[in-house]
Amino acid sequence: QQPADITNNDDALSLTEKYRQEKHQNKLHHWKEGEFASGLVEPTWADELEKYNREGRSGCCCCCPPSAELDQMFQEEIDPGCGCIYLSAVVCSRLGADRVGNMAVLKSRYVMVEVEDDDDGEEHEEFVNDDEEALRNRNKGSDTKNDEKTKKQTKRMVRKREIQFIVGPFWPMLLGITYPLIFGVSGLTLFVGLPYRAWYIKLGWTILTVLLIRALFNTGFRDPGILTRHKDPPENENDEEDDAPLRRVGFRWGTEGGPWRWSEQAQTYRPRNSCYDPDTAVVVEEFDHTCPWTGTAIGKKNMGSFQMFVALVFICLIMDIFLLTAPAKIEYSN
């Protein structure tokens, strides 16, 4: 019976090992072939929760990572906030939310977009003889309309995923600290400082507070500018034709040359004004920083909302302090 028990144990270990190898291969495939430029993370939140349960990590807090995770700070697979990622794994796995890097996709849709078809262009070039090519080069300056038609013929419609609502890895801070602070101070002002004020003060305060809440929503729940995966750099990009200014963030762009650079963390080509963010584990276009108060990264698509949010925070804070401290003029009727 002992040899049979040993054989059964070996079979169980081999099945477990095969399962882990398949999981690892799926993880690598998702890292290199995924639709969006993301880092080496688990494909789904259910897989992330399974990894936490398997390794016995509880993820008790965001600011005190276990000692075993300290060596991950300088690796490609980074766990920026153990508690936040663990909460995302627990909550998002039950909600069925998709995962892009360390961000949770709450809602998305598929749209049809027009892209250039390189294969069609190569097929048309094969049927051009020498005489036709010489004639085309001779009349190159005057045949702009024909060139536009040929360009239109090399385009096709493809189905592309569009993210509508998404939250960053620090969404617990957004929902547990930022929003409660705004609603708490605004509620105190509404019931204590706003009564007996003039109607135009009430109207202005209401508009500014609603805009503040809306700006925070557009910042924390919208796509910051996640880059789609580019296995090859676009051929139409050229240094001489690129008139966009090189935006410098610290020393990030000081040594880069050319419009597209290879990102080893996300296994993709990226524009020079984009950067891989280890907190969100995605490549963000025109990446500025990661704001824990809004729970997400600040980039191309939510920079305007973030600037509006910061400005409205100061305006509303000053207005709330004034309404809570300045005495109101009460008119008494005989």
Side-chain angles (χ1 to χ4, degrees):
Q1 294 179 355
Q2 291 181 355
D5 295 337
I6 294 175
T7 304
N8 293 331
N9 292 332
D10 293 339
D11 294 338
L13 290 175
S14 62
L15 290 176
T16 304
E17 187 66 24
K18 289 181 180 179
Y19 175 75
R20 292 182 179 179
Q21 289 179 359
E22 290 179 359
K23 282 284 187 179
H24 184 67
Q25 292 297 327
N26 186 27
K27 182 178 179 180
L28 293 177
H29 181 269
H30 181 267
W31 177 41
K32 297 181 179 181
E33 303 294 335
E35 182 178 2
F36 295 99
S38 60
L40 182 60
V41 296
E42 297 294 334
T44 64
W45 289 113
D47 294 334
E48 184 73 28
L49 183 60
E50 180 184 351
K51 183 183 75 172
Y52 271 88
N53 295 332
R54 182 176 64 250
E55 297 178 359
R57 295 185 294 175
S58 59
C60 56
C61 66
C62 295
C63 57
C64 301
S67 58
E69 295 181 353
L70 293 178
D71 57 349
Q72 296 184 1
M73 291 183 178
F74 303 99
Q75 296 181 4
E76 294 177 350
E77 187 177 0
I78 299 176
D79 192 357
C82 59
C84 295
I85 299 299
Y86 179 74
L87 284 176
S88 297
V90 173
V91 176
C92 296
S93 60
R94 285 167 172 77
L95 294 177
D98 295 333
R99 182 175 187 175
V100 176
N102 288 332
M103 307 185 71
V105 181
L106 304 179
K107 186 179 180 181
S108 62
R109 65 178 181 179
Y110 286 92
V111 295
M112 300 300 295
V113 296
E114 189 180 49
V115 297
E116 294 184 357
D117 192 355
D118 298 334
D119 296 336
D120 293 340
E122 293 178 357
E123 291 178 0
H124 289 302
E125 291 178 359
E126 291 179 358
F127 291 96
V128 178
N129 54 29
D130 296 338
D131 296 335
E132 291 178 354
E133 185 177 359
L135 181 62
R136 183 176 298 177
N137 293 331
R138 192 185 312 161
N139 301 329
K140 189 175 182 180
S142 60
D143 292 343
T144 56
K145 294 183 179 180
N146 294 333
D147 293 340
E148 292 179 357
K149 291 181 180 180
T150 55
K151 289 181 180 179
K152 291 181 180 179
Q153 292 176 357
T154 60
K155 292 184 178 181
R156 58 190 176 92
M157 301 297 293
V158 296
R159 192 174 176 222
K160 184 179 179 182
R161 186 184 181 189
E162 183 183 68
I163 297 175
Q164 294 180 291
F165 298 107
I166 188 172
V167 292
F170 304 109
W171 62 266
M173 188 171 181
L174 170 65
L175 298 181
I177 299 179
T178 309
Y179 265 120
L181 283 175
I182 293 176
F183 285 120
V185 175
S186 300
L188 181 64
T189 305
L190 178 63
F191 292 103
V192 176
L194 202 60
Y196 307 109
R197 300 289 181 176
W199 65 269
Y200 53 86
I201 296 180
K202 296 179 180 179
L203 179 62
W205 179 87
T206 303
I207 293 175
L208 290 175
T209 304
V210 171
L211 289 177
L212 173 64
I213 298 173
R214 179 66 179 179
L216 180 57
F217 177 83
N218 290 338
T219 305
F221 289 87
R222 297 291 188 178
D223 179 14
I226 302 175
L227 184 72
T228 56
R229 186 172 304 280
H230 294 272
K231 296 182 180 180
D232 299 311
E235 297 180 356
N236 56 354
E237 293 289 341
N238 195 347
D239 291 336
E240 299 178 356
E241 296 178 358
D242 189 12
D243 298 332
L246 181 61
R247 190 171 62 88
R248 186 183 182 93
V249 182
F251 298 97
R252 187 169 294 133
W253 315 124
T255 58
E256 289 193 352
W260 288 80
R261 303 286 291 179
W262 174 256
S263 174
E264 188 66 26
Q265 297 94 335
Q267 294 292 297
T268 182
Y269 281 94
R270 59 173 179 82
R272 64 182 178 186
N273 60 348
S274 64
C275 181
Y276 176 79
D277 176 27
D279 292 329
T280 57
V282 293
V283 177
V284 181
E285 295 185 81
E286 298 183 12
F287 174 73
D288 190 80
H289 70 287
T290 301
C291 178
W293 295 98
T294 60
T296 187
I298 307 301
K300 178 180 179 180
K301 294 185 179 180
N302 63 351
M303 175 60 74
S305 300
F306 175 74
Q307 292 175 346
M308 184 177 180
F309 165 70
V310 173
L312 288 173
V313 163
F314 287 99
I315 295 174
C316 292
L317 182 60
I318 294 173
M319 193 171 185
D320 291 340
I321 293 174
F322 171 78
L323 293 175
L324 291 173
T325 57
K329 293 182 179 180
I330 303 176
E331 297 180 359
Y332 296 95
S333 58
N334 296 329

